Each structure stands twice: as C-alpha cells, then as structure tokens.
Amino acid sequence: MYIDTRPGRGDKPNEDYVIASAGGMGARAVLLDGAGGPSELPTGCSHGTSWYVTRLGERALFGLENNQTPITTALAMAIDSVARLHGLGCDLDNPGTPSSTVVMVRRTLTRVEYLVLGDSTLVLEVNGEVVTVSDRRIDSVGADLYRRMAGLPTGTPEHQAARIAFVENQRRMRNRAGGYPIASNDPRAAYEAVIGSYPAESVSRIALLSDGATRFVEFGLGSFRDALDILDSSQPYRLFDRVREAEASDPSGRRWPRAKRRDDVAAAYLPPVLDAA
Ligand SMILES: [Zn+2]
C-alpha cells in the first residue's frame, strides 16, 4: 500500500487528503480533494478546508472499518459528524462552507466496494482491464465560465477574476437541484454518490487519485495503466514528479489551460492481494 499527497503551493495549506488502512484480510482507503477556492471569497468557516478534509477523511475511514456498515452510510455519518464539529461559530449555510470530493474503497475477502462523489478518480484493474470511475456532474455547471477562465493566461489578474466568477457560480450550485452533489455539511449528499462493487478476485490493482494527480493522464503524460505501473514501482512518487515537471514547463497554462498553475496532488495505491494459498 502506498499513500502520498503534496500541496500545490508552499504558501497555502494542502486541501487534498488521503488515508488508508489494512488489516483483517482487507484494506480501506479514502481520498478527498477539498474545494478551497480563491482566498478573496468568504467561507463562513473559521476552520478552513484543510481542517475539513482531515476530519472528514478520518471519520470516513473509521466508518469503513465495520464491514457491515454500507459505504454510503459510512460517508453520511462522517459528514454529519464533521458538520457538528464546526460548532456555532461557523455559518454552515454560507455557499463557501468547506466541501470536498470523496473516493472511498473497501476491499474485503469477498468484495471490492467503492464510492465516488465529485471529480476525483478511482482506477481499478478488473480482469486485466483498466476501469475508471469519476463523478463529472460538476463539469456541467458553469461550463461557459470555465471556458472564459481557460482562455486567459494563468497567473494574470484577468485569469484570477474569471476564476472567482467560476468558483462563485460553482459554490451556488452545490447540493441543489440543477447543480451537483458534493460532501459538505449535508449527509444526504452521500446517497447521491456513484457506488459499485466487484467480486474481490476480479480486482487486482486499485488507485485513488485527486484531479491534481490525474493531470498525468489529462496532460497526455501517460495512461491510467501507466499511472498504476508507476504507483506499483519502487518509485511511486514519480507520478507526482512527472505532473510537477509538466506544470513547470507550462507556467501560463498555454498548453494545458487550468484553474491553478500547480494543484494539490494526492494518491492512494492498493496492490493486488496475494493468494494466501
Ligand atoms: Zn468551520
């Protein structure tokens, strides 16, 4: 098993979070990518997005420990628990209140179960085929605003202003009709997640990746199978290195238009279970 995360910037806290555990002939992993947004926008929360993803990730993993707990229930309980942790000092109705994508995986002796909410990606090798699961409902929100931002050079005031307009719109559409579900303070979002499962013996390698890490594929540096191969190698950190090298080679986003020059990256990798017999 391998987990790692790196912040996109030295002057901002990492809003990706990843946690995993193995034991009882199984493994569990949770990966979150918090929506922080530009610091110009208010959030109504004194804790911040890093705080949110850490608390939510720990609780979601804890929920997976009991194999009898459905994966959606594990997430719903975690969301509810963190909503209470905010306390009375935070305005949980503020559209900028911390939120996060979620990928959860539980491998037991018999099943591999997963949950995906938001645009992080789960990569599974199933009977030798590479399958990806990502919830792209967020992409349908503000596509015109995204295109406007993407047309401007990253790092300029114009790009930043377009990014603020894009994020403000995205925030308004969280967990409401016509918008998209995301983990925040409402446990009902867990039941809107993409879920599925496979027989344990059909799944070999598993990776959980934030959208910072899937830039590896988005930028054309390799396929998802290549990403699995790197994570399975003696130098799994090369996956992040390759993304950082590409980002550094294109600082203004001319080749690869994007919201942030460098994004937080996170990955979890669960290797195949060896046949004990
Ligand atoms: Zn708070």
Side-chain angles (χ1 to χ4, degrees):
M1 184 178 310
Y2 169 78
I3 65 170
D4 195 14
T5 180
R6 289 185 204 168
R9 288 166 49 162
D11 61 340
K12 281 192 75 179
N14 191 349
E15 294 172 344
D16 282 8
Y17 182 75
V18 60
I19 186 169
S21 71
M25 298 299 282
R28 298 141 220 101
V30 177
L31 179 141
L32 307 174
D33 179 357
S39 50
E40 290 90 333
L41 294 176
T43 67
C45 169
S46 58
H47 302 94
T49 302
S50 287
W51 175 91
Y52 176 76
V53 292
T54 307
R55 300 304 178 287
L56 185 67
E58 289 167 351
R59 281 161 180 75
L61 185 74
F62 180 74
L64 289 178
E65 300 283 345
N66 181 345
N67 290 344
Q68 306 309 315
T69 304
I71 199 161
T72 44
T73 306
L75 178 59
M77 292 188 331
I79 291 172
D80 189 50
S81 167
V82 180
R84 292 163 199 276
L85 272 186
H86 277 284
L88 297 174
C90 296
D91 171 16
L92 300 189
D93 293 326
N94 187 301
T97 189
S99 68
S100 181
T101 72
V102 182
V103 182
M104 294 166 70
V105 174
R106 173 164 57 198
R107 177 152 65 200
T108 65
L109 283 175
T110 54
R111 303 294 294 176
V112 171
E113 301 163 82
Y114 63 82
L115 176 153
V116 179
L117 189 58
D119 60 1
S120 296
T121 300
L122 172 68
V123 187
L124 298 160
E125 199 171 38
V126 183
N127 297 319
E129 297 288 318
V130 175
V131 176
T132 61
V133 185
S134 187
D135 167 20
R136 314 306 301 205
R137 282 171 285 186
I138 190 170
D139 290 350
S140 62
V141 170
D144 46 338
L145 292 170
Y146 184 86
R147 273 194 302 275
R148 216 176 85 68
M149 174 185 71
L152 297 162
T154 308
T156 60
E158 293 75 21
H159 180 278
Q160 185 66 357
R163 183 176 162 222
I164 288 170
F166 170 68
V167 171
E168 272 187 318
N169 178 65
Q170 219 173 40
R171 285 181 173 183
R172 273 195 299 273
M173 301 309 285
R174 282 177 191 168
N175 293 321
R176 53 175 282 189
Y180 61 96
I182 202 79
S184 185
N185 302 314
D186 185 345
R188 288 175 296 183
Y191 300 98
E192 303 292 329
V194 178
I195 57 167
S197 74
Y198 289 100
E201 64 274 15
S202 66
V203 180
S204 46
R205 306 186 288 179
I206 303 172
L208 296 73
L209 303 170
S210 70
D211 69 343
T214 53
R215 284 182 174 184
F216 176 78
V217 177
E218 221 176 285
F219 288 4
L221 309 176
S223 64
F224 280 110
R225 185 180 296 280
D226 295 331
L228 285 175
D229 290 345
I230 294 172
L231 291 169
D232 199 31
S233 74
S234 60
Q235 299 176 312
Y237 50 85
R238 285 288 301 152
L239 184 72
F240 294 171
D241 289 347
R242 296 280 304 280
V243 172
R244 289 288 181 252
E245 288 158 16
E247 288 166 336
S249 75
D250 179 42
S252 64
R254 181 186 292 269
R255 183 167 178 196
W256 297 300
R258 52 199 194 264
K260 300 173 209 168
R261 185 173 288 168
R262 287 155 59 105
D263 198 1
D264 302 333
V265 288
Y269 175 69
L270 308 182
V273 178
L274 298 175
D275 188 351

